[in-house]
Amino acid sequence: MIRLIRSAVLAAGVCLSAVQIAAAQDLVIGMQEVRPRFDPAIETGNTGIPLSNAVFETLIRRDYQSDGKGTGAKLVPALAESWHRVDDLTLELKLRSGLTFHNGDPLTSKDVKFTFDRILDPKSQYARSQFQYENIARVEAPDDLTVRVVTKKPDPTIELMLTFPASSIVPKDYYEKVGFEAFGQKPVGAGPYRFVQSVDDDHVTLEAFPVFWGGKPPAEKLVFREIPDLSARITALANGEVEIINNVTPDQIPAVDNLDCCEVRSVMANSHLLNYRTSNPLMADKRFRQGLNLAIDRELLSKALWNDKAEVLHSHQYAEWGDLYNADRPTFPYNPDRARKLIEESGYKGEEIQFTTSPVYYTNGLAAAEAIVSMWQKVGVNAKVEVNESWYEKSNDDPGIEVRNISDWGDLPDPNVTIMWSWTITALWDGNKAFQDLGHKAATTLDRKERFGLYQQMLDMFEDEAPGTVLYRVPDFYGVRRDTKWQPYTNYVMDFRPGSFVFGEGK
């Protein structure tokens, strides 16, 4: 939206019109947080994905509009115009001709090979992405427009993996010239928008890439503006300072919907989880962890914090998995009496348990932490909330942290991602070799029935060992100007490429 008027005063139910605001085709999005680094193999979290999706491009994309729900079930060509399986270990892709990066360099198979070689290099700083692509043996570039991805074992998800943000293609020559740090600060990609400027704790500015393979983007400039306070984001939306805001909490939906100019649009996103540091002596006994899980009333949390819009799952799985989903598994139980008994049996002696959370990163994350700590206190646990803006890094580095909140790796609709990544890459779960072994086998098995059985074993193990728990799957709410044609997609993708966004035409 257009940012020509900044001083309008928000009145109840009143906001400025697009005509009043004026009219350069600049799109401004109000975010709770804007990350300063842009390397797509590093920034794959909630606030990194929107920028990765704008600046970079993958070989294959998910068509989020194909089912009308924004879930991205259908795979479609992107930088690669076609692909096929040569055999059980080899996927061959043909690149579009004439592709270029933002700096004018041609995009060829050498860049694709380099993109994955840099991740798979044992000396690189891409440890998390290395795990995600560990089944790739090598990437070959037999000619400028041909790419072969060769896996170590059969991989039923390799095409899907190539849609993940970390698979975004980076320019070999530019990356090698400037290095890891400089590339993250001034990225060059092949996506619909190119990098212009980043100001820490304030904003990131991108501009349309006119020769993007998918056509000229609809916005001349794309600005991600950091506005941590939700009420300030809503005011900015009503004033016409921004076109879209993210992380609207359910209790603030009426504040947006009651505005003449604006409305809330939503999509089901990832799930919110709790993660326990199992190596911490206070969390070492699984009976204690099981007790913590049983003390959480997820239905009450959904009703109180999400107006019943958060979904309590049937274990850590999603219906989008199709025949790999087991609808017969029960939802997570609430049993405070059993929780109290297990906690006593574990030998817990009243030591203080810290629940570390960010103040703004997750919608209702802090509110949920406070409510859960209250539930734990009712079953005899001496728990407290610690608020820290760097909660994720702090809880990774500080062995004294016992509990933190995270979201799952539901980015791709397959259990290899949701179960395996969430409880191995992200989790502070030590001693989970048996779980990982099952996951590796399931991820390299082409037989769907066998995969189903292996994932059921993993879910059994996850529920018994309790390295954490799933709270609920949450909707992601966005405030949007009513005359803007744009819909949110799953997994925090904010898409502003041709066909996904139009100024002034409604939904």
Side-chain angles (χ1 to χ4, degrees), residues 395-416:
S395 53
N396 272 337
D397 298 336
D398 184 354
I401 298 296
E402 291 87 24
V403 183
R404 66 177 178 183
N405 53 352
I406 57 175
S407 63
D408 71 358
W409 287 88
D411 303 76
L412 303 176
D414 189 272
N416 179 47

Side-chain angles (χ1 to χ4, degrees), residues 287-288 338-348 379:
R287 292 172 297 182
F288 182 71
R338 176 65 175 158
R340 190 176 289 104
K341 186 172 186 292
L342 285 169
I343 289 167
E344 291 173 356
E345 290 176 356
S346 74
Y348 173 67
V379 296

